[in-house]
Amino acid sequence: MPEHAPAAPDSVEAAMNHPEQVRQMLALPADQRPDWLNEFLGTMTIPPIPDTSTNPLLDVVMANTAYGQKNATLAFPLAEVLAAAEHAAAADKHKLGYGEDEAAPRLWWVKDDGTYLMSNGQDPTDTRDDNGRLPHVVYADGWGPGTDARSILGGDDFRESIDLTTPVFEDGTTLLGMLREAADHGATRFLLKATFDDTYMDLTYITK
């Protein structure tokens, strides 16, 4: 007789007896997980779950009740990031982020449906695509539309403003200047490194 795969768990209680299946479910985008699992997770961040875990749900809970600093590194295609930055720099008007009262060229780093960088330039000729997205949006590698970045960036959606024309390096170089110079020298990737906890976020920019 052929072997039958064990039934997928349909509750938190049943999940305790199916660690491998639960680990696979946790790796899925939110819209592909069963409702009971999404209800259990709520806004919790999903940490890496080792193959040897005997209780993946407990691993998730323990990771979200631990305090301390977290780190994430996102990679973006440099040419597209530079195009978004140039769009912001050339725009006559700029959208303001939360708490901002002075318009300036900025990149917005957004986490909602995936995570991405985008220009804050306000251009009346910009039109949305078929999915309702504005141009000059650059998704991080592996975190495009339909992905859930909670496992590396926490549960809450956010929008961080990154100034392009204020010096951010000791020699007076701006982020826009850094992007231009890196592209001129053949770099292809822009790395955004974030160090954060519940009260602060520190960003580091690297090109390669």
Side-chain angles (χ1 to χ4, degrees), residues 26 44-50 56 59-64 150-152:
L26 289 170
M44 287 193 289
T45 298
I46 302 174
I49 305 295
D59 291 344
V60 172
V61 172
M62 293 299 292
N64 281 270
R150 287 188 299 172
S151 60
I152 58 169

Side-chain angles (χ1 to χ4, degrees), residues 69-123:
Q69 182 174 283
K70 296 182 180 181
N71 297 277
T73 300
L74 300 170
F76 299 83
L78 176 61
E80 294 180 37
V81 174
L82 178 57
E86 296 287 13
H87 176 269
D92 293 329
K93 296 182 179 180
H94 298 89
K95 291 168 278 192
L96 294 174
Y98 178 77
E100 295 172 351
D101 54 16
E102 183 176 346
R106 299 182 176 99
L107 290 177
W108 282 350
W109 174 31
V110 182
K111 173 189 168 289
D112 48 33
D113 180 17
T115 186
Y116 51 89
L117 296 170
M118 65 176 289
S119 165
N120 78 330
Q122 199 163 9
D123 187 338

Side-chain angles (χ1 to χ4, degrees), residues 150-167:
R150 287 188 299 172
S151 60
I152 58 169
L153 298 175
D156 295 332
D157 291 348
F158 62 75
R159 182 176 63 197
E160 286 283 324
S161 287
I162 302 174
D163 202 298
L164 286 167
T165 55
T166 298

Side-chain angles (χ1 to χ4, degrees), residues 37 45 53-54 73 113 141 178 194:
L37 181 54
T45 298
S53 172
T54 59
T73 300
D113 180 17
D141 293 351
M178 172 192 178

Side-chain angles (χ1 to χ4, degrees), residues 115-136:
T115 186
Y116 51 89
L117 296 170
M118 65 176 289
S119 165
N120 78 330
Q122 199 163 9
D123 187 338
T125 63
D126 286 347
T127 55
R128 295 179 183 270
D129 64 19
D130 293 340
N131 295 313
R133 300 186 182 93
L134 289 166
H136 310 296

